[in-house]
């Protein structure tokens, strides 16, 4: 019984404390459903899902890097950059591959500077964030342009009355599940992160794991997930917008942290991250329905993040 | 990349390491060491702490790269690039440090780096689980392979580590102190496995501090001293004292200063220290002029006892009295060390590179910091020129100047700088972990003398060491830990390695029988 | 490449903070291309512009020396700016504004310091979170009514000169000098050096590690408050959108100046020249007509290259 309890609370578990945010989410959901009429409507459910989806996608990518004890502060910039590329006056057959080539290149630079050039991940991705934002503003100083019809359809279309968003969710979750739990890559991520968190950063390497290559791939994966989120957002706003991405950087970290993933690495779960993103989306949705101003929403999200990281005490002081 | 499977032809060594040299920065840890591993043999690698055994094995395991020399595997020259490469060459290692990953299950740890793959590239978890279960059962272990390693005890972890090493498809098995945390019955289980490997024509390298194990299990021995090759021969016909003589290189009695004589006032008194709520209380005292050793198998609580005294480990309860100042345990984690320093008790941690020294800063900073840290932060920093000079000269630290960064000094000089820090701060009680780890023989002798001088001048020393010979030689009194309690105490002058080991193995009937035979 | 890097000359050159090279190169570029800008008045104006950044950097370098980071500077500056320009305290004196700026800085620094130093939470996340909280609060306070005018006497002080040097620059240089002496001459300076080099060893040798980190964050908060005061004095009308890029520039200048998580090779004057390099960079980019996006790219590249420079060294 004690062991079961320990598992549920995230002690002695690799999944982290995800049960608490789940309960919080359910309680919040129930409360909103009872207290406001607008919440439990099909339209709002659709909105909620569309709001949560890009965050879920970015957060999954962010989680892979966080599990390695890293952090990717360039995901927001990648999202903006993606919308700017898609809003170029070019066919989707060119721009969509271009988006992924760019994402892979960015992830490759992030991963290489971190693993080969010994740069702290926060500094490396912070610098990348500035560079990508600069490029984005060169291409599109203010919101505008129009994304190809295909991209719009990908997001707003539906088959048999089921919105495409649902398929996006299924596809992304399946992909992430395969990467994290259904492959050696995923196990190696947990192994490397576990070594880093317990202070023996070369433990995984000693087991014969290609730790640098795995880390590099995780950064590339993170950028690609951000690009995917960017495509989704571009389809929704049907234009390019340099300002759409940056809030996602901190939101994704918040979602990951809420979901029980330890920022020191090695402990966390896919379902926890999805729960974390949903809780955050629910919070925004609830505040929107209650007409809370956008500024206060930002501040409240900051306070939530502060509370969550204060809850995660680590062994070492610092970044 | 597999070596030729010419295992059956005797005479062709599985691995031949020739003239291997290796330096870490300015410290030369191996000079021109050779090692030949024949099939069907169990090869003891002997030497004091810091003789270079672990470094040599880490080179073979691909963890470190050697500077000079050559390695042949199955008659083919190989440059071992990485641990993965070593595994591919058929070399499997059980390291001294517990290197399992705490957040993975036993099964995942067992197969890490060589996971079986099922359909669509997914992990074959079922196979991992079953094979792990079988491997654990062979070692008489009834653990579920799905348990996380963080949930296991130290001995269980050690067994999993052994299972991981010896279950690998390999020809050469390196066991670096595999029994440090095991009791006698467990060691028997391991010995059976080693015999099985030997019968199968594999080569085993066995590193251990326990002499009786070496003579039980091994057939060949190579002795290293200060990173140099001393001897390689068959174990038959060699006696235990011959072996110690080879390792130490001189009569050990010359290494240690005269023991203390007058122990008067009590300087440190620990009362009813309980590491956990259900562990037995520990009480002991240290008097002026006294050096007391703390012995025991790995993970029996001796390190926790020592670290409880400065608040680094959080025990359940107890009291500590240092030269008049009384404190209740557990001490506060943040202020414990500072509080104890104010009372005159200093703690010298084992890992001098990670926990002790500022490798990138000067000798002067490293020595002076404990003087600085006794003063308020906003005060002007004093230069402590005199104190630093005194410490450096009285300990004969060989450094080009006081501004040299400590990272450029040899291991022995680094250790002296670390000790100098606490001596300069005028401490009365020193609590030291592994005072001579990774230190050459000359510096060892100097450190023993320094600690004795410190005690003779009215100080007291509590020392923790894995090297029983060292404890016997330098202490006045030895306390032996088992299962979070001090279960035996003896005068060092009368203590023997056997007596200490038997006490450390405690009530195991097998140990008693063996002691009776001996 | 590795062999070239390990030669003694390369090692010695690598030990000089990149800020000095960058500053020299930019100065040379300017002298070759726009010699007419080389007069004290023009230079003074440009350098005065980066004084708030320079003051913010003093705090940043302190927290980075103890292996932390402070990204909440923008929030502090914004709050200080809002309170001064909103007309909430129409009769505020200089002393009042000074205490208020320091007070705001101390409070934010305290929150950061307690969470980072005592709770050991991730510094990046904690300070980013306090930053967005502060920004949200200011935007909420300002919603509907845009901030008003900045009191004239602050602007007068900002525009004044002593011996032909702008007062803001003098304040910056004096603060830099004080911090330099503070770090090199006090026991606290020794603590900072120890914690930066090896926090575990610092703990074991009796350094109050947590207190050192908390104090660094308090001081960083104070510096951010002062930077906010100087920044506010430089503008006539309050704004709720300015100074948002300052913390990132402060990180960039600090790294450029040879201070990076735990390593303090550049001391206090390395980052000072990091800021001076930024002043030069702004002049060069402005004269070459490079717009905002180009500046972002340049700054990002500088951080990346400087960090790689340190990564290769270790």
């Amino acid at each position: 019984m004690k062991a079961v309890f320990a598992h549920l609370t995230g002690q002695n578990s690799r999944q982290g404390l995800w049960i608490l945010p789940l309960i919080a989410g359910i309680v919040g959901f129930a409360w909103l459903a009872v207290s406001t009429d607008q919440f439990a409507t099909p339209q709002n459910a659709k909105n909620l899902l569309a709001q949560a989806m890009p965050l879920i996608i970015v957060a999954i990518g962010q989680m892979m890097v966080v599990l390695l004890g890293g952090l990717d502060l360039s995901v927001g910039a990648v999202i903006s950059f993606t919308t700017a590329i898609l809003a170029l006056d070019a066919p989707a057959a060119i721009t969509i591959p271009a988006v992924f080539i760019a994402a892979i290149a960015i992830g490759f630079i992030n991963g290489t500077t971190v693993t080969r050039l010994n740069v702290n991940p926060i500094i490396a991705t912070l610098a990348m964030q500035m560079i990508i934002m600069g490029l984005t503003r060169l291409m599109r100083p203010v919101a505008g342009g129009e994304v190809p019809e295909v991209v719009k359809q990908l997001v707003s279309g539906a088959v048999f009355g089921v919105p495409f968003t649902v398929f996006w969710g299924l596809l992304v979750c399946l992909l992430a599940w395969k990467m994290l739990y259904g492959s050696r890559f995923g196990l190696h991520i947990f192994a490397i992160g576990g070594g880093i968190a317990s202070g023996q950063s070369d433990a995984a390497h000693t087991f014969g794991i290609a730790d640098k290559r795995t880390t590099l791939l995780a950064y590339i994966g993170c950028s690609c997930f951000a690009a995917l989120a960017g495509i989704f957002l571009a389809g929704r706003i049907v234009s390019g917008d340099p300002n759409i991405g940056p809030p996602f950087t901190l939101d994704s970290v918040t979602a990951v942290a809420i979901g029980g993933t330890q920022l020191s690495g090695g402990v966390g779960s896919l379902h926890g991250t999805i729960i974390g993103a949903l809780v955050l989306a629910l919070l925004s949705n609830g505040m929107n329905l209650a007409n809370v101003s956008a500024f206060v929403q930002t501040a409240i999200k900051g306070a939530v993040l502060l509370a969550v990281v204060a809850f995660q005490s680590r062994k070492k002081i610092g970044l | 990349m597999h070596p030729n499977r010419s295992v059956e032809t005797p005479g062709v060594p599985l691995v031949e390491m020739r003239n291997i040299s290796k330096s870490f920065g300015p410290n030369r840890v191996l000079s021109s060491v050779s090692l030949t591993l024949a099939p069907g043999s169990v090869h003891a690698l002997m030497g004091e702490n810091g003789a270079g055994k672990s470094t040599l094995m880490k080179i073979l395991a691909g963890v470190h790269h050697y500077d000079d020399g050559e390695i042949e595997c199955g008659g083919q020259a190989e440059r071992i690039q990485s641990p993965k490469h070593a595994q591919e060459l058929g070399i499997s290692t059980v390291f001294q440090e517990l290197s399992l990953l705490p957040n993975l299950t036993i099964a995942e740890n067992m197969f890490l780096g060589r996971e079986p793959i099922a359909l669509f590239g997914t992990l074959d978890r079922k196979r991992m689980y079953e094979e792990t279960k079988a491997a654990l059962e062979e070692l008489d272990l009834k653990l579920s392979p799905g348990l996380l390693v963080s949930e296991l005890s130290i001995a269980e972890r050690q067994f999993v580590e052994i299972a991981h090493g010896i279950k690998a498809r390999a020809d050469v098995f390196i066991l670096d102190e595999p029994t440090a945390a095991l009791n006698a019955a467990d060691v028997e289980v391991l010995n059976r496995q080693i015999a099985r490997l030997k019968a199968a024509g594999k080569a085993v390298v066995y590193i251990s501090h326990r002499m009786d194990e070496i003579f039980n299990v091994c057939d060949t021995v190579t002795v290293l001293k200060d990173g140099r090759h001393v001897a390689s021969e068959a174990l038959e016909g060699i006696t235990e004292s011959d072996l110690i003589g080879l390792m130490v290189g001189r009569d050990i009695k010359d290494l240690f200063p005269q023991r203390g004589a007058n122990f008067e006032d009590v300087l440190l008194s620990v009362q009813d220290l309980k590491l956990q709520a259900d562990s037995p209380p520990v009480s002991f005292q240290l008097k002026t002029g006294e050096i007391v050793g703390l012995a025991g198998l790995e993970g029996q609580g001796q390190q926790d006892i020592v670290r409880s005294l400065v608040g680094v480990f959080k025990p359940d309860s107890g009291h500590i009295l240092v030269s008049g100042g009384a404190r209740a345990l557990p001490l506060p984690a943040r202020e414990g060390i500072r509080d104890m320093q104010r009372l005159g008790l200093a703690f010298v941690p084992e890992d001098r590179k990670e926990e002790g020294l500022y490798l990138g800063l000067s000798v002067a900073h490293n020595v002076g910091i404990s003087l600085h840290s006794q003063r308020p932060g906003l005060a002007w920093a004093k230069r402590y020129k005199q104190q630093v000079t005194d410490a450096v000269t009285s300990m004969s630290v060989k450094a080009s100047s006081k501004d040299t960064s400590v990272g450029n000094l040899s291991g022995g000089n680094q250790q002296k700088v670390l000790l100098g820090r606490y001596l300069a701060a005028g401490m009365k009680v020193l609590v030291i972990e592994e005072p001579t780890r990774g230190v050459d023989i000359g510096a060892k002798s100097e450190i023993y003398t320094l600690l004795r001088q410190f005690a003779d001048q009215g100080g007291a020393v509590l020392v923790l060491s894995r090297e029983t010979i060292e404890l016997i030689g330098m202490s006045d009194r030895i306390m032996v830990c088992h299962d979070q309690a001090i279960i035996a105490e003896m005068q060092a002058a009368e203590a023997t390695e056997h007596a200490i080991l038997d006490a450390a193995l405690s009530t195991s009937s097998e140990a008693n029988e063996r002691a009776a035979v001996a | 490449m590795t062999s070239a890097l390990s030669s003694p000359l390369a090692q010695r050159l690598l030990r000089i903070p990149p800020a000095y090279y960058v500053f020299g190169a930019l100065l040379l570029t300017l002298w070759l291309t726009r010699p007419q800008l080389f007069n004290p008045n023009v230079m003074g104006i440009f350098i005065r512009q980066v004084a708030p950044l320079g003051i913010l950097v003093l705090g940043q370098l302190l927290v980075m020396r103890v292996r932390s980071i402070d990204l909440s500077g923008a929030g502090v500056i914004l709050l200080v700016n809002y309170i001064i320009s909103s007309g909430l305290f129409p009769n505020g004196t200089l002393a009042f504004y000074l205490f208020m700026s320091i007070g705001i800085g101390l409070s934010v620094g305290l929150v950061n310091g307690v969470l980072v130093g005592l709770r050991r939470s991730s510094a990046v996340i904690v300070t980013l979170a306090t930053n967005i909280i502060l920004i949200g609060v200011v935007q909420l306070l300002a919603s509907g009514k845009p901030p008003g005018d900045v009191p004239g006497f602050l602007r007068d002080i900002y525009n004044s000169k002593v011996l032909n040097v702008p007062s803001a620059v003098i304040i910056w240089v004096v603060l830099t000098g004080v911090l330099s002496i503070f770090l090199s001459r006090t026991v606290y300076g020794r603590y900072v050096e120890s914690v930066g080099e090896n926090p575990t060893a610092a703990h074991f040798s009796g350094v109050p590690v947590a207190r050192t980190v908390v104090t660094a964050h308090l001081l960083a908060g104070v510096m951010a408050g002062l930077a906010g005061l100087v920044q506010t004095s430089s503008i006539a009308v309050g704004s709720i959108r300015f100074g948002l890029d300052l913390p990132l520039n402060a990180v960039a200048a600090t790294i450029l100046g040879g201070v990076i998580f735990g390593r303090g090779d550049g001391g206090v004057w390395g980052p000072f020249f990091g800021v001076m390099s930024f002043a030069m960079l702004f002049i060069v980019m402005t004269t070459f007509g490079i717009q905002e996006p180009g500046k972002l790219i340049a700054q990002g590249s500088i951080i990346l290259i400087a960090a790689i420079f340190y990564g290769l060294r270790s």
Side-chain angles (χ1 to χ4, degrees):
Chain A
M1 186 59 213
K2 206 176 158 191
V4 173
F5 184 74
H7 268 285
L8 287 180
T9 53
Q11 286 167 347
N12 281 340
S13 139
R14 186 160 78 217
Q15 302 183 334
L17 180 57
W18 53 270
I19 196 94
L20 210 63
L22 181 64
I23 294 169
I26 293 172
V27 170
F29 193 90
W31 185 70
L32 281 170
V34 174
S35 63
T36 53
D37 300 337
Q38 307 122 294
F39 182 75
T41 60
Q43 186 53 41
N44 191 49
K46 215 173 148 190
N47 280 350
L48 183 60
L49 197 61
Q51 229 170 37
M53 194 51 60
L55 183 59
I56 291 175
I57 301 173
V58 199
I60 287 172
Q62 185 72 265
M63 173 189 53
M64 292 201 288
V65 174
V66 171
L67 281 175
L68 291 165
L71 207 57
D72 188 344
L73 299 179
S74 70
V75 288
V78 171
I79 291 175
S80 292
F81 193 44
T82 301
T83 66
I85 294 176
L86 289 174
L88 289 173
D89 199 10
I94 295 173
T95 48
I96 291 183
V99 161
F100 283 105
I101 291 171
I104 289 170
I106 291 165
F108 183 81
I109 297 174
N110 282 336
T112 309
T113 35
V114 170
T115 57
R116 302 280 168 191
L117 303 173
N118 292 327
V119 177
N120 183 298
I122 289 155
I123 298 300
T125 55
L126 202 63
M128 272 314 272
Q129 179 255 347
M130 294 170 85
I131 295 172
I132 305 163
M133 276 316 286
L135 288 174
T136 308
R137 287 189 196 283
L138 273 183
M139 287 163 62
R140 193 155 290 286
V142 289
E146 195 169 349
V147 301
E149 192 56 33
V150 194
V151 178
K152 286 186 224 166
Q153 276 306 314
L154 272 176
V155 177
S156 53
V159 268
F160 307 123
V162 182
F164 270 162
T165 318
V166 176
F167 294 106
W168 272 79
L170 288 175
L171 193 76
V172 166
C173 292
L174 204 67
L175 185 69
W177 186 89
K178 170 77 185 142
M179 286 172 81
L180 271 176
Y181 302 117
S183 72
R184 306 175 72 173
F185 171 74
L187 183 61
H188 290 184
I189 284 189
F190 280 103
I192 297 166
I196 291 171
S198 61
Q200 29 173 3
S201 51
D202 60 345
H205 182 70
T206 318
F207 272 96
I209 291 177
D211 53 348
K212 291 191 174 174
R213 197 181 62 204
T214 305
T215 309
L216 174 64
L217 284 175
Y219 277 95
I220 292 177
C222 181
S223 291
C224 287
F225 272 101
L228 217 50
I231 294 175
F232 187 93
L233 281 165
R236 229 179 60 193
I237 59 169
V238 304
S239 61
D241 184 354
N243 295 321
I244 195 158
F248 279 94
T249 303
L250 216 50
D251 282 358
S252 65
V253 178
T254 313
V256 168
I258 290 177
T261 299
Q262 296 287 324
L263 295 168
S264 42
V267 171
S269 65
L270 177 60
H271 53 274
T273 300
I274 295 172
I275 292 169
L278 284 172
V279 166
L280 204 56
L282 200 63
L283 186 70
S284 299
N285 188 262
M287 289 193 293
N288 280 339
L289 292 179
N291 283 325
V292 177
S293 84
F295 308 133
V296 180
Q297 289 198 18
T298 321
I300 288 178
K301 277 193 210 163
V304 169
L305 180 56
L306 211 54
V308 174
V309 292
F311 193 66
Q312 283 192 10
S313 188
R314 306 175 305 166
K315 280 189 196 137
K316 278 190 170 166
I317 292 180
L319 301 169
Chain B
M1 287 300 278
H2 239 279
N4 304 337
R5 296 241 169 221
S6 51
V7 177
E8 281 72 30
T9 28
V12 177
L14 288 172
V15 164
E16 182 142 25
M17 301 176 85
R18 274 196 295 268
N19 304 323
I20 303 291
S21 297
K22 170 76 186 170
S23 300
F24 289 115
N27 296 336
R28 196 176 180 102
V29 284
L30 289 175
S31 17
S32 199
V33 173
S34 300
L35 180 72
T36 305
L37 301 178
S41 77
V42 182
H43 200 123
L45 190 57
M46 305 284 294
E48 296 181 291
N49 274 358
K53 296 167 299 191
S54 291
T55 310
L56 188 66
M57 289 305 102
K58 282 189 171 163
I59 287 173
L60 191 55
V63 178
H64 295 323
H65 292 188
Y66 52 89
D67 302 334
D68 221 356
E70 51 196 27
I71 296 179
E72 272 184 18
C73 292
Q76 253 180 321
E78 294 284 356
R79 175 106 204 161
I80 302 175
Q81 303 292 348
S82 65
K84 196 177 177 61
H85 188 197
Q87 283 173 14
E88 286 163 1
L89 289 169
I91 298 165
S92 170
T93 316
V94 175
F95 283 116
Q96 179 181 2
E97 303 99 45
L98 296 167
S99 54
L100 297 174
L101 292 157
N103 65 335
L104 301 192
T105 65
I106 299 177
E108 285 166 344
N109 266 291
M110 288 282 286
F111 283 93
L112 198 54
R114 50 190 164 95
E115 304 87 353
I117 294 297
L119 222 52
F120 305 120
T122 45
L123 297 174
D124 191 346
R125 288 187 186 273
K126 199 171 155 222
R127 200 180 126 199
M128 285 163 64
Y129 195 91
E130 278 163 7
E131 286 189 22
T132 304
K133 203 170 165 63
L136 292 176
E137 273 165 7
E138 262 185 74
L139 292 171
D140 292 346
L141 238 58
K142 286 178 193 66
L143 291 171
S144 161
L147 281 176
L148 288 185
V149 165
S150 59
E151 294 171 277
L152 305 180
S153 74
I154 291 191
E156 285 169 339
R157 284 189 201 201
Q158 184 118 44
F159 254 122
V160 172
E161 189 124 1
I162 290 168
H164 173 260
I166 66 178
K167 277 292 142 196
R169 222 167 290 147
D171 298 318
V172 177
F173 296 86
I174 302 168
L175 306 179
D176 190 349
E177 295 211 44
T179 56
L182 302 186
N183 65 34
D186 293 342
V187 172
E188 275 311 309
V189 177
L190 176 63
N191 287 353
R192 278 210 304 276
Q193 296 298 320
I194 292 175
R196 182 182 62 82
L197 292 174
K198 184 175 169 170
K202 316 283 188 187
V204 178
V205 184
Y206 196 84
I207 301 179
S208 173
H209 275 298
R210 302 194 204 166
M211 282 291 175
D212 54 342
E213 268 175 27
I214 299 288
F215 283 92
N216 270 345
V217 179
C218 305
D219 48 47
T220 324
V221 64
T222 289
V223 179
L224 300 184
K225 198 186 90 188
D226 301 338
R228 283 170 205 284
H229 183 263
V230 178
S232 285
E233 40 200 293
L235 253 184
E236 263 182 336
I238 296 184
T239 66
E240 204 173 304
S241 56
D242 289 347
L243 209 48
I244 295 177
L246 284 173
M247 281 162 60
V248 179
R250 65 173 107 168
D251 204 347
I252 17 174
K253 291 209 177 67
D254 300 345
L255 213 56
F256 300 105
Q258 195 76 36
R259 287 181 214 277
N262 312 314
F263 314 131
E264 284 158 10
D265 316 329
V266 174
L267 265 182
L268 168 72
S269 170
V270 175
Q271 286 148 14
D272 299 327
L273 165 61
K274 287 167 89 174
L275 291 179
Q276 254 119 47
D278 54 353
S279 50
V282 170
S283 300
F284 59 89
Q285 291 186 334
L286 258 68
K287 293 179 175 166
T288 51
E290 199 176 26
I291 299 183
V292 176
L294 207 50
L297 303 183
E298 193 79 31
Q300 292 297 324
Q302 61 272 44
Q303 190 170 40
D304 295 340
I305 290 176
V306 159
R307 294 197 162 209
S308 295
L309 305 186
V310 286
V312 178
F313 181 85
K314 193 171 174 230
D316 177 66
S317 58
H319 290 276
I320 179 171
L321 208 92
V322 185
S323 53
R327 298 285 186 274
L329 298 176
L331 293 168
R334 260 195 287 277
E335 284 294 313
I337 286 183
R338 288 170 59 75
D339 192 27
M340 282 297 128
Q341 284 191 3
R342 249 172 261 135
L343 292 177
L345 180 145
F347 173 69
V348 187
E350 166 181 357
D351 191 338
R352 75 175 163 260
K353 291 197 168 119
E354 298 290 328
E355 301 181 329
L357 293 169
Y358 310 101
L359 294 178
L361 301 180
S362 67
V363 173
H365 183 96
N366 273 281
V367 172
I369 188 65
S370 63
L371 289 158
H372 289 303
S373 58
Q374 295 174 353
R375 303 184 60 232
L378 289 180
W380 293 116
K382 292 182 186 164
R383 309 203 57 179
Y384 296 123
K385 237 178 171 171
Q386 197 55 47
Q387 286 92 328
V388 172
T389 314
D390 286 351
V392 169
T393 46
S394 73
M395 314 202 73
S396 62
V397 174
K398 289 169 204 73
S400 49
S401 91
K402 282 179 293 182
D403 301 323
T404 316
S405 59
V406 168
N408 293 330
L409 303 182
S410 72
N413 282 314
Q414 287 183 351
Q415 189 69 21
K416 284 195 263 179
V417 168
L418 187 57
L419 283 174
R421 172 194 297 166
Y422 299 105
L423 299 188
M427 295 292 151
K428 295 194 199 89
V429 184
L430 286 184
V431 177
I432 308 185
E433 291 176 344
E434 303 293 335
T436 62
R437 189 172 110 163
V439 161
D440 66 65
I441 198 92
K444 272 188 184 184
S445 182
E446 285 180 71
I447 287 170
Y448 299 141
T449 312
L450 279 165
L451 290 175
R452 179 52 71 188
Q453 275 171 7
F454 172 78
D456 286 345
Q457 285 158 14
V461 182
L462 179 63
V463 55
L464 186 79
S465 174
R466 289 188 186 87
E467 285 198 69
T468 321
I469 302 173
E470 169 174 287
L471 279 183
I472 295 173
M474 72 183 294
S475 318
D476 297 307
R477 186 155 57 91
I478 294 176
M479 305 186 291
V480 185
C481 276
H482 179 81
D483 204 9
Q484 311 191 319
I486 291 175
I487 49 144
E489 200 176 314
M490 51 191 95
Q491 292 303 312
E494 289 140 29
T496 62
E497 266 193 281
H498 266 291
I500 292 175
L501 187 61
D502 285 336
L505 293 168
S506 192
T507 48
S508 150
S509 59
E510 220 174 325
N512 290 338
E513 274 168 40
R514 242 186 335 194
V517 173
Chain C
M1 182 158 154
T2 28
S3 62
L5 276 170
S6 57
S7 78
L9 179 68
Q11 282 295 318
R12 189 169 300 173
L13 289 179
L14 280 172
R15 210 155 291 149
I16 300 171
Y20 296 100
Y21 295 120
V22 174
F23 182 66
L26 288 168
L27 213 58
L28 192 68
T29 314
L30 206 60
W31 181 65
L32 290 176
T33 56
R34 299 286 192 282
Q36 71 275 17
L37 288 177
F38 257 70
N39 75 66
N41 281 329
V42 178
M43 287 302 222
I45 287 168
F46 276 108
I47 292 171
R48 187 178 67 177
Q49 254 177 22
V50 296
L53 175 64
I55 296 169
L56 193 61
V57 158
L58 296 177
Q60 191 63 255
L61 76 92
L62 194 55
V63 288
M64 282 175 73
R65 287 278 302 261
V66 295
R67 299 183 177 225
S68 186
I69 197 169
D70 186 354
L71 298 171
S72 66
V76 175
I77 292 173
L78 216 53
L79 187 57
V80 167
N81 176 269
Y82 178 76
I83 292 181
I84 294 177
S85 61
S86 63
L88 282 174
F89 304 101
N91 303 319
T93 61
L94 178 63
F96 172 80
Y97 287 135
L98 197 60
F99 279 118
M100 184 213 59
S101 307
I102 291 175
I104 289 173
L106 274 177
S107 332
V108 177
L110 186 67
V111 173
N112 290 339
V114 166
L115 286 174
V116 173
L118 301 184
R119 282 301 301 167
R120 298 183 207 153
S121 304
S122 160
V124 181
I125 299 186
V126 165
T127 57
L128 276 176
T130 47
N131 191 44
I132 64 168
I133 294 175
L134 289 169
I135 292 174
V137 166
V138 170
Q139 288 178 331
L140 173 71
L141 291 174
S143 55
K145 40 171 185 170
D149 293 343
V150 174
F153 69 91
L154 285 178
R155 179 122 189 101
D156 293 341
I157 297 173
Y158 182 78
N159 283 332
S160 69
K161 284 185 178 185
V162 179
L163 299 174
N164 216 22
V165 182
S167 307
V169 177
I170 292 179
I171 294 171
W172 170 30
V173 173
V174 167
L175 282 172
T176 308
V178 169
L179 187 68
S180 171
I181 292 168
F182 183 63
L183 284 182
S184 62
R185 292 273 175 269
T186 63
V187 171
Y188 182 75
R190 302 291 200 276
Y191 289 171
V192 167
E193 206 175 350
S194 304
V195 174
E197 173 70 23
N198 184 345
T200 318
H203 178 64
F204 278 111
S205 46
V207 173
V209 178
R211 214 187 303 157
T212 305
V213 174
V214 175
T215 311
H217 273 283
L218 286 175
L219 288 174
V222 171
M223 292 300 177
L226 293 176
L229 185 60
V230 175
Q231 175 86 308
T232 304
S233 311
S234 73
I235 50 174
V237 183
S239 156
I240 55 159
R241 289 218 54 86
F242 87 149
L244 292 180
D245 56 343
L246 273 183
L248 289 190
N249 282 343
V251 174
T254 308
I255 295 178
L256 200 59
V259 174
I260 187 160
F261 307 119
R263 312 183 48 150
D265 310 19
V268 171
W269 295 103
F272 179 87
F273 275 94
V275 177
M276 291 293 278
S277 306
F278 268 67
M280 291 299 128
L281 192 68
F282 292 147
I283 308 177
V284 170
M285 289 202 290
T286 309
T287 55
F288 283 91
I290 297 171
Q291 300 293 312
E292 206 49 49
K295 287 184 185 171
L296 255 179
I297 296 174
Q299 287 163 17
S301 310
I302 288 174
I303 300 186
L304 201 58
I305 291 165
I308 290 172
F309 177 91
Y310 283 97
L312 286 179
R313 249 180 49 175
S314 54

